[in-house]
């Protein structure tokens, strides 16, 4: 009996010793996780603060924006500022122009880039390595260097002050083709393509019926990036558009800065209204956007 009781005592002591040796590791892991969560919370608040500040400023008057200490809580002038934007600057006309340009531009980029990326990933054709290398080289050329040649082409086509000048030149992008090619090469297996061919699919059927459903996360990611860039673009529309009824939303907001005085409350309200489509688009496609970015980072 004494030997059994001594064994039980030794076993309990050994468990306590193991528990004591594991406790510092658990506590360090918990403290590390806690610090990571604190860091993520601080980063999230810093990222959201500009949007909150934009909302607060759009609810105040211009004089309230410059008072000290600054106001950190919303005021009651939001509807007044939105009314001024709608009545004085033709907001919805420019809003519609931006919606047409960004929407059509995004659809064209998704169509052409997905088709080209699928072809680069799964088809063999002459000069394919050279063409892909040339495509990568074009990504290293700054956009500003192409402004003058593009303007000359648009002028010869007679598209100055036309929304086509904002849509057609960017209908396919090198980054979009590269992005779709990399994604298609990683998720579209040859067995799937060969099965489609056995079922009688031609090349376009393989793209439309086999590739597109698999490429949906990459399409959502590319669509969000393209829509954001097209919606926020200011330089190229400033070069080819000079009449006010063709202004995009970014050009309209820039034109609201007066020569002698600026109604900043109206500018902030217009900026807040201009961010609504971006929030809606990201909210709809956020899950596919994250899935597209995470593809390749997790190994099976």
């Amino acid at each position: 009996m004494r030997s059994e009781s001594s064994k039980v005592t030794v076993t309990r002591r050994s468990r306590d010793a193991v528990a004591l040796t594991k406790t510092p590791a658990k506590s360090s892991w918990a403290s590390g996780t806690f610090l990571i969560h604190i860091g993520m919370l601080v980063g999230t608040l810093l990222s959201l603060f500009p949007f909150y500040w934009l909302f607060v400023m759009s609810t105040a008057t211009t004089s309230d924006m410059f008072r000290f200490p600054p106001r950190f809580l919303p005021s009651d002038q939001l509807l007044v500022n939105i009314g001024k934007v709608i009545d004085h600057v033709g907001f919805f006309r420019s809003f519609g122009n931006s919606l047409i340009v960004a929407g059509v531009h995004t659809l064209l980029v998704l169509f052409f880039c997905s088709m080209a990326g699928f072809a680069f990933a799964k088809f063999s054709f002459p000069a394919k390595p050279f063409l892909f290398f040339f495509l990568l080289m074009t990504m290293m050329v700054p956009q500003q260097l192409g402004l003058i040649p593009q303007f000359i082409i648009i002028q010869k086509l007679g598209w100055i002050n036309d929304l086509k000048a904002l849509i057609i030149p960017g209908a396919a992008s090198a980054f979009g083709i590269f992005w779709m090619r990399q994604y298609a090469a990683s998720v579209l297996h040859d067995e799937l393509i060969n099965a489609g061919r056995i079922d009688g699919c031609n090349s376009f059927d393989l793209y439309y019926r086999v590739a597109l459903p698999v490429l949906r996360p990459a399409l959502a990611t590319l669509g969000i990036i393209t829509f954001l860039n097209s919606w926020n673009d200011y330089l190229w529309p400033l070069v080819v558009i000079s009449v006010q009824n063709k202004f995009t939303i970014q050009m309209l907001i820039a034109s609201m800065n007066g020569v002698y005085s600026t109604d900043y409350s109206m500018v902030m309200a217009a900026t807040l209204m201009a961010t609504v489509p971006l929030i809606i688009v990201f909210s709809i496609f956020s899950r596919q956007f994250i899935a597209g970015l995470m593809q390749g980072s997790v190994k099976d």
Side-chain angles (χ1 to χ4, degrees):
M1 293 295 288
R2 287 182 181 177
S3 61
E4 291 180 357
S5 61
S6 62
K7 287 181 180 178
V8 171
T9 305
V10 170
T11 306
R12 286 178 179 174
R13 287 178 180 175
S14 62
R15 287 177 181 174
D16 294 338
V18 171
L20 288 175
T21 54
K22 287 184 177 179
T23 301
K26 285 185 177 179
S27 62
S28 63
W29 180 83
S31 61
T33 305
F34 177 74
L35 291 177
I36 290 173
H37 289 174
I38 292 296
M40 293 172 66
L41 179 63
V42 172
T44 303
L45 292 178
L46 290 176
S47 301
L48 293 178
F49 181 75
F51 296 98
Y52 176 74
W53 187 250
L54 171 64
F55 175 72
V56 171
M57 290 296 102
S58 63
T59 63
T61 61
T62 300
S63 59
D64 287 339
M65 293 181 186
F66 295 99
R67 76 176 190 178
F68 187 84
R71 177 190 292 272
F72 287 97
L73 295 177
S75 185
D76 57 353
Q77 297 296 310
L78 177 61
L79 295 180
V80 176
N81 295 333
I82 291 176
K84 288 192 293 185
V85 172
I86 295 174
D87 293 337
H88 293 93
V89 295
F91 177 83
F92 287 113
R93 183 178 54 208
S94 298
F95 187 88
N97 290 337
S98 284
L99 207 59
I100 294 172
V101 171
V104 177
H105 182 209
T106 302
L107 291 177
L108 291 177
V109 166
L110 292 181
F111 176 71
F112 289 117
C113 291
S114 62
M115 188 177 289
F118 173 61
F120 271 115
K122 294 298 171 185
F123 288 92
S124 298
F125 48 88
K128 174 181 170 181
F130 171 76
L131 290 176
F132 190 67
F133 177 76
F134 182 76
L135 179 74
L136 296 180
M137 292 297 293
T138 60
M139 295 173 62
M140 304 177 187
V141 180
Q143 181 187 2
Q144 290 77 7
L145 291 181
L147 283 179
I148 295 177
Q150 283 187 7
F151 178 78
I152 294 173
I153 294 173
I154 293 298
Q155 190 179 35
K156 289 184 180 298
L157 291 174
W159 289 355
I160 298 296
N161 290 322
D162 196 319
L163 294 184
K164 291 195 292 290
L166 306 180
I167 298 173
I168 302 302
S173 66
F175 168 76
I177 297 173
F178 174 74
W179 170 262
M180 296 306 301
R181 186 265 178 195
Q182 296 301 106
Y183 195 92
S186 63
V187 301
L188 274 176
H189 301 291
D190 293 336
E191 292 80 3
L192 192 62
I193 303 299
N194 293 332
R197 287 197 176 99
I198 293 173
D199 290 339
C201 293
N202 55 29
S203 298
F204 186 79
D205 288 337
L206 288 175
Y207 161 75
Y208 183 72
R209 299 181 185 278
V210 178
L212 275 188
V214 180
L215 299 177
R216 192 179 304 168
L219 289 172
T221 305
L222 181 61
I224 290 177
I225 294 174
T226 305
F227 190 87
L228 292 179
N229 290 335
S230 181
W231 185 271
N232 293 324
D233 191 16
Y234 175 70
L235 180 59
W236 178 242
L238 186 65
V239 172
V240 295
I241 301 294
S242 59
V243 295
Q244 192 166 7
N245 62 349
K246 299 293 183 182
F247 274 10
T248 61
I249 194 66
Q250 306 302 334
M251 297 178 68
L252 178 72
I253 294 174
S255 68
M256 293 168 66
N257 292 318
V259 178
Y260 300 105
S261 64
T262 301
D263 190 345
Y264 288 103
S265 61
M266 194 166 65
V267 174
M268 289 296 175
T271 307
L272 179 67
M273 296 165 68
T275 59
V276 172
L278 304 181
I279 296 174
I280 293 175
V281 169
F282 184 79
S283 300
I284 294 175
F285 298 103
S286 59
R287 183 173 299 178
Q288 289 83 0
F289 177 74
I290 295 172
L293 292 180
M294 290 296 293
Q295 180 65 33
S297 62
V298 179
K299 299 294 184 183
D300 295 333

